Amino acid sequence: ILNVEQSPQSLHVQEGDSTNFTCSFPSSNFYALHWYRWETAKSPEALFVMTLNGDEKKKGRISATLNTKEGYSYLYIKGSQPEDSATYLCAWSFLNTDKLIFGTGTRLQVFP
Amino acid sequence: NAGVTQTPKFRILKIGQSMTLQCTQDMNHNYMYWYRQDPGMGLKLIYYSVGAGITDKGEVPNGYNVSRSTTEDFPLRLELAAPSQTSVYFCASSYPGQGSYQPQHFGDGTRLSIL
């Protein structure tokens, strides 16, 4: 079964807290791992596409790491702000396909 | 730049009716995708296309049809609407090249209710 699991399902943090969440995926036949940010009433926006084991990507206060051998990726947010409140989706692709398998997302709420 | 545009934004259908969800992109992307998103579930791929004239099934294609006559447009057709097709539908596009190495760009979604 090709499943992508994200944890936790939801997270509530105070403004200024740093946080992280996990995306787990099958480690065999890995091809690419995507992270998307999805604000309420908007469409998902791409944050990162990661392809190599050990990849680290950063965009402002958000960063991500990738471990393809054990099948997980972490997304970190440093000093969370209320505008970081969103659902964070990861998606995995395998072999040389054009298709992504999405997880159900981690819903982050940052309280001022 | 409009990006990916989906119409309509909302629609209510009766069981058995048919309709077409429109999707168009102005980024000259070869790859286009249709997803549905149900509460508590991830985005599920319905159909995708790697270029004009080429389409392929995703995870949940039953009850849907697609066509891709131009690079810009990728309409999704529901022939006989069923309550199980109540969902939010997202269209996405991406540049070609090495399969899923490219990020996908999403439209704003179409919320469809079948009653």
Side-chain angles (χ1 to χ4, degrees):
Chain A
I1 294 177
L2 302 175
N3 237 4
V4 175
E5 309 270 349
Q6 290 189 247
S7 62
Q9 217 170 7
S10 65
L11 199 51
H12 301 120
V13 302
Q14 289 291 131
E15 182 176 355
D17 287 350
S18 294
T19 187
N20 65 85
F21 18 96
T22 306
C23 172
S24 302
F25 50 86
S27 55
S28 58
N29 300 315
F30 173 86
Y31 199 69
L33 191 285
H34 293 217
W35 280 102
Y36 291 85
R37 182 170 178 272
W38 191 358
E39 290 181 73
T40 303
K42 294 189 178 179
S43 52
E45 285 184 5
L47 285 171
F48 307 115
V49 178
M50 308 172 80
T51 57
L52 298 175
N53 185 45
D55 249 357
E56 290 188 25
K57 300 262 184 177
K58 189 174 180 182
K59 185 183 281 191
R61 292 179 292 98
I62 304 177
S63 59
T65 60
L66 178 67
N67 183 324
T68 62
K69 295 189 189 306
E70 295 180 46
Y72 64 84
S73 175
Y74 294 137
L75 189 80
Y76 300 91
I77 303 179
K78 186 177 175 182
S80 304
Q81 300 296 309
E83 57 265 30
D84 295 327
S85 298
T87 296
Y88 292 83
L89 294 174
C90 73
W92 164 83
S93 71
F94 57 98
L95 299 173
N96 189 14
T97 68
D98 305 307
K99 298 183 278 192
L100 293 176
I101 309 287
F102 279 84
T104 54
T106 292
R107 188 177 176 199
L108 173 67
Q109 284 188 279
V110 183
F111 295 103
Chain B
N1 230 358
V4 179
T5 303
Q6 291 184 236
T7 55
K9 292 195 186 309
F10 307 95
R11 184 75 184 266
I12 298 174
L13 280 184
K14 292 183 180 176
I15 295 171
Q17 285 186 319
S18 60
M19 80 162 292
T20 299
L21 281 66
Q22 302 291 344
C23 175
T24 188
Q25 52 90 12
D26 62 0
M27 297 175 282
N28 205 31
H29 286 173
N30 281 41
Y31 288 18
M32 296 187 75
Y33 309 82
W34 273 108
Y35 296 92
R36 58 177 289 172
Q37 202 251 336
D38 301 313
M41 308 286 285
L43 292 166
K44 299 290 185 188
L45 183 65
I46 305 171
Y47 271 95
Y48 70 106
S49 167
V50 300
I54 307 169
T55 62
D56 208 346
K57 295 179 182 178
E59 297 174 79
V60 290
N62 291 344
Y64 306 94
N65 278 304
V66 292
S67 58
R68 184 92 184 272
S69 53
T70 67
T71 300
E72 294 77 22
D73 300 307
F74 190 38
L76 178 73
R77 178 110 180 128
L78 282 72
E79 291 292 351
L80 288 170
S84 60
Q85 293 177 304
T86 293
S87 189
V88 183
Y89 291 84
F90 286 94
C91 178
S93 71
S94 69
Y95 282 114
Q98 295 184 297
S100 51
Y101 278 8
Q102 300 296 331
Q104 295 186 6
H105 300 257
F106 286 82
D108 289 337
T110 294
R111 186 175 295 273
L112 181 63
S113 295
I114 316 290
L115 303 174

